[in-house]
Amino acid sequence: MARYLITSAIPYINGIKHLGNLAGSMLPADVHARFRRLQGHEVLYICATDEHGTPAELAAAEAGVDVRAYCDEQYKIQRDACAGFKLSFDHFGRSSNPPNHKLTQHFGEVLEKHGMIEERVTKQIYSIDDKRFLPDRYVEGTCPNCGFERARGDQCDNCQTLLDPIELINPRSKISGSTNVEPRDTAHLFLKQPLMQDRIREWVDKSTEWPPLARSIAYKWLDEGLIDRSITRDLAWGVKVTKDGKIRAGFENKVYYVWFDAPIEYIASTVEWSEAGGGDWERWWRTDKGAEDVTYVQVMGKDNVAFHTVSFPVTIMGSQEPWKLVDRLKAFNWVTWYGGKFSTSEKRGIFMDQALEILPSDYWRWYLMANAPESSDAAFTLEQFQQTINADLANVFGNFVNRITRFAASKFDSEVPNGGTPGAHEEKLANEFAERLAALTQCHEQMEFRKAAAELRAIWVAGNEYLQVAAPWTALKTDRDAAAVGVRTGLNACAVFAILAQPFIPDAAKIVLDALGVPEANRNWPKPDDKGVWDALPRGHKFTPPDVLFKKIEDEQVAELAVRFGGGGAA
RNA sequence: GGGCCCGUAGCUCAAUGGUUAGAGCCGGCCGCUCAUAACGGUCUGGUUACAGGUUCGAGUCCUGUCGGGCCUACCA
């Protein structure tokens, strides 16, 4: 038995997440957590909302509520949506909660103690009408290079030139549109990342289990050379900057940068879990206090990779304290929606709450994992969704369960039949199963979700192939024992197929296992060489055939959804 | 601008430089009748974006062209 600490990138508080966010971080992390638990390992799956930063303040202002009240409300919405998708977090915390303030301040102070911090004065654009400093992206103006009038402070979308907001001609606030803006001096703390450059590179060199995408992004940053990085901002909402436990002089109106405190929330959320009665958090995070045998797995979208392979490790290593670093990192590309990206700000695509109104979570979970954006961006289309669900879940798996349980109910009195001896058909099924189970297990261990789904599907298909040749309905006419073997094998197949389906489609799997009366203790991940799975259900055991597991998605429903969500055209 | 990735069947995707480039879906045909008109078998489908090059051998490596995407540290 091993120990797995699993975190998925924490979703930003600003609005409910779309299916692309779900598919690229929380859902695969959940599938992996469920798999590792079924294997009997000790798992801690941690997530949280990322609540600080300018967008949260602006969204609250737009909603006309206090930022804390806004976050309280959004937190509940996101928490409920995650629960609706059956994400099995051990804890779903909040980066605005006290443990994160305390830990972020701790890291800030300990980094300074080790010479990793320098205070500098920089020029930032201040908007007098908005009464706030503006992040580069929130300043708009005319590009000094090409004359484009809506260039952003960080980059011109027209000519791609990287800009400093000070350079913009006729700068204005993107928030209010006000041109009443001016550069002002403001002091900030800079993290001296170059001091950790060599140690980070050595660590990345050793991290051979990361996928190519993650390593190439890390190397790119390292090759260009790490730079001193500002880790504070002029904002009201966030973690206060301290020195010796008190507000740092001159930083009364500043907070830590959201990207400094957000990854620390992985640890802080574990502290929240601990405070809620979960257990000893240090055992998971401190290598001097029991975490040396923990395998730490991080799951995220590709936009997060640099922060997890470079920035956060600089914080950790720079502290010179024995914190756990990531061991295995899984990065995803994007899910696309009819050619474009899913977009929270533009409301493009399907969002988590809407999805749950339309169909049960298992449908989405299966599709998003069977088509996970692992090697490149993956297209989501309603038509593909319909085909995948109807074929894989309704026809292949759902109908398999239905056909054998109903046959057993009508011809064998809803019992697991006794009698008969397994023969060549059963041996062929068992052999193929053993081979595919080994492959499926390996796919899960390596977090190859597409391949895992394909392998699971192939196992289900093998069940249908078996029934076709064993044909207990034919055997029944001449040889009741032969039919009994077919039905018994088929029912046991239902059980083991559902056991293997648990990480992907937990609800449907539970329905099947409950209907067959499989005790919780017998739902663990089987070993490929375990022949006992084909005679695991007690003979003579009564069961109730479950209702149809998956209703097919009809063409009319696809048409309705296409209208509602703008599928096939511009959203 | 710089860097990285991708382009394979109608669709979605696979293939440590090594037999005849494979799956699923869709479509055609055959079979089965337990089942959600489900299941099984089988067939059709390819100039691997394009043009060169390296190699005994290239989807894979190199160069260029075209098309798409991502990153570029103050959105997160």
Side-chain angles (χ1 to χ4, degrees):
Chain A
M1 183 159 125
R3 300 172 63 211
Y4 289 91
L5 172 63
I6 301 171
T7 62
S8 43
I10 62 177
Y12 196 67
I13 194 68
N14 186 9
I16 191 142
K17 300 298 108 177
H18 52 64
L19 295 181
N21 297 126
L22 179 67
S25 59
M26 297 179 286
L27 179 53
D30 179 68
V31 170
H32 192 61
R34 286 175 179 274
F35 166 72
R36 290 300 190 186
R37 290 189 194 109
L38 289 171
Q39 276 192 318
H41 299 304
E42 191 180 352
V43 169
L44 191 66
Y45 176 25
I46 295 292
C47 196
T49 41
D50 178 14
E51 304 194 2
H52 296 139
T54 306
E57 282 196 347
L58 295 180
E62 194 177 333
V65 294
D66 172 74
V67 63
R68 179 168 293 282
Y70 172 81
C71 289
D72 286 349
E73 185 191 338
Q74 292 296 316
Y75 171 77
K76 284 184 189 134
I77 292 171
Q78 295 217 27
R79 182 196 60 195
D80 292 348
C82 289
F85 273 96
K86 310 301 157 78
L87 301 176
S88 61
F89 306 130
D90 289 287
H91 189 74
F92 186 63
R94 302 180 61 178
S95 70
S96 65
N97 276 343
N100 192 39
H101 286 248
K102 200 173 153 193
L103 272 167
T104 299
Q105 288 164 351
H106 166 79
F107 276 107
E109 295 206 25
V110 79
L111 285 167
E112 180 154 33
K113 195 176 83 183
H114 293 304
M116 293 289 297
I117 299 282
E118 189 177 296
E119 186 176 328
R120 290 186 201 162
V121 174
T122 61
K123 280 209 190 310
Q124 287 291 129
I125 298 289
Y126 185 84
S127 168
I128 293 159
D129 292 336
D130 292 309
K131 296 188 179 59
R132 61 161 65 233
F133 281 94
L134 299 174
D136 293 358
R137 288 212 170 198
Y138 287 85
V139 184
E140 269 188 355
T142 302
C143 175
N145 185 50
C146 73
F148 182 60
E149 290 181 0
R150 295 179 57 199
R152 291 196 318 265
D154 59 335
Q155 181 169 25
C156 173
D157 277 338
N158 188 51
C159 69
Q160 307 300 313
T161 306
L162 298 180
L163 299 170
D164 189 300
I166 308 284
E167 302 169 346
L168 286 177
I169 300 160
N170 300 324
R172 61 185 179 276
S173 162
K174 196 173 178 178
I175 299 165
S176 60
S178 168
T179 54
N180 198 12
V181 299
E182 63 183 25
R184 284 191 186 177
D185 284 345
T186 178
H188 282 297
L189 299 187
F190 280 72
L191 180 60
K192 293 154 80 171
Q193 298 192 119
L195 296 178
M196 288 293 130
Q197 167 114 10
D198 293 343
R199 284 187 60 185
I200 297 282
R201 185 181 286 277
E202 280 172 34
W203 177 66
V204 175
D205 286 343
K206 285 189 294 187
S207 301
T208 50
E209 285 194 67
W210 295 0
L213 177 68
R215 300 188 94 210
S216 69
I217 290 172
Y219 279 127
K220 197 217 163 205
W221 277 41
L222 289 166
D223 290 345
E224 289 180 356
L226 300 188
I227 59 173
D228 293 346
R229 183 167 194 240
S230 166
I231 58 163
T232 54
R233 292 290 183 275
D234 291 287
L235 282 178
W237 175 238
V239 177
K240 292 291 179 195
V241 183
T242 58
K243 186 167 172 97
D244 303 323
K246 300 188 188 101
I247 301 293
R248 187 186 183 100
F251 282 68
E252 292 79 7
N253 298 317
K254 301 172 198 286
V255 296
Y256 281 104
Y257 176 37
V258 61
W259 259 118
F260 184 72
D261 81 67
I264 295 171
E265 171 62 11
Y266 293 141
I267 306 172
S269 183
T270 313
V271 175
E272 292 180 40
W273 165 79
S274 180
E275 289 176 349
D280 177 8
W281 69 271
E282 289 184 312
R283 202 173 144 259
W284 291 95
W285 280 104
R286 293 285 296 226
T287 55
D288 59 333
K289 294 178 180 174
E292 68 285 334
D293 66 336
V294 168
T295 299
Y296 178 19
V297 180
Q298 288 180 344
V299 185
M300 70 199 70
K302 59 185 168 183
D303 57 329
N304 270 258
V305 169
F307 298 99
H308 287 78
T309 57
V310 177
S311 307
F312 186 45
V314 167
T315 300
I316 296 288
M317 288 182 186
S319 76
Q320 298 184 29
E321 293 173 341
W323 297 100
K324 186 75 197 157
L325 281 164
V326 64
D327 295 300
R328 305 197 54 201
L329 186 149
K330 176 79 178 178
F332 286 86
N333 292 278
W334 308 127
V335 176
T336 60
W337 173 257
Y338 294 95
K341 274 208 287 189
F342 274 74
S343 164
T344 304
S345 55
E346 292 169 39
K347 305 255 187 286
R348 257 177 75 80
I350 301 180
F351 290 74
M352 286 173 71
D353 53 346
Q354 298 168 328
L356 290 173
E357 290 166 15
I358 298 165
L359 287 165
S361 58
D362 280 352
Y363 290 54
W364 305 101
R365 289 177 63 106
W366 176 258
Y367 179 85
L368 293 173
M369 290 292 90
N371 297 284
E374 289 181 298
S375 58
S376 62
D377 290 353
F380 182 100
T381 67
L382 294 166
E383 295 75 15
Q384 183 88 6
F385 176 63
Q386 176 194 28
Q387 282 177 357
T388 302
I389 295 308
N390 290 354
D392 295 355
L393 295 187
N395 295 347
V396 174
F397 180 52
N399 183 57
F400 175 79
V401 171
N402 195 48
R403 66 193 294 205
I404 190 62
T405 53
R406 291 199 180 276
F407 184 72
S410 67
K411 307 295 192 212
F412 285 86
D413 197 24
S414 295
E415 276 185 19
V416 179
N418 203 348
T421 334
H425 296 319
E426 288 70 29
E427 192 184 338
K428 181 170 180 289
L429 173 64
N431 288 342
E432 181 176 354
F433 177 81
E435 204 171 297
R436 291 198 179 277
L437 174 54
L440 172 63
T441 303
Q442 194 179 13
C443 290
H444 271 299
E445 285 172 345
Q446 297 175 346
M447 287 189 281
E448 300 214 54
F449 296 95
R450 265 178 190 268
K451 286 184 184 172
E455 207 57 56
L456 178 56
R457 183 186 188 285
I459 288 172
W460 294 338
V461 168
N464 281 312
E465 285 169 12
Y466 166 77
L467 281 187
Q468 186 70 22
V469 293
W473 45 89
T474 305
L476 189 62
K477 295 169 186 166
T478 55
D479 185 348
R480 190 173 174 85
D481 275 355
V485 172
V487 171
R488 188 167 64 242
T489 304
L491 291 172
N492 278 293
C494 284
V496 76
F497 290 179
I499 285 169
L500 300 182
Q502 291 177 102
F504 285 122
I505 46 171
D507 287 348
K510 181 171 165 36
I511 289 169
V512 174
L513 294 168
D514 286 351
L516 292 172
V518 177
E520 290 285 347
N522 294 355
R523 296 181 184 186
N524 294 327
W525 200 259
K527 295 268 193 297
D529 55 1
D530 181 5
K531 298 281 195 248
V533 299
W534 306 109
D535 206 3
L537 297 170
R539 299 187 185 194
H541 171 71
K542 283 265 188 192
F543 66 90
T544 314
D547 291 334
V548 165
L549 281 178
F550 302 98
K551 277 168 51 178
K552 289 199 195 189
I553 302 171
E554 303 297 337
D555 293 345
E556 296 74 48
Q557 188 172 11
V558 172
E560 285 169 23
L561 294 174
V563 170
R564 176 172 171 191
F565 294 101

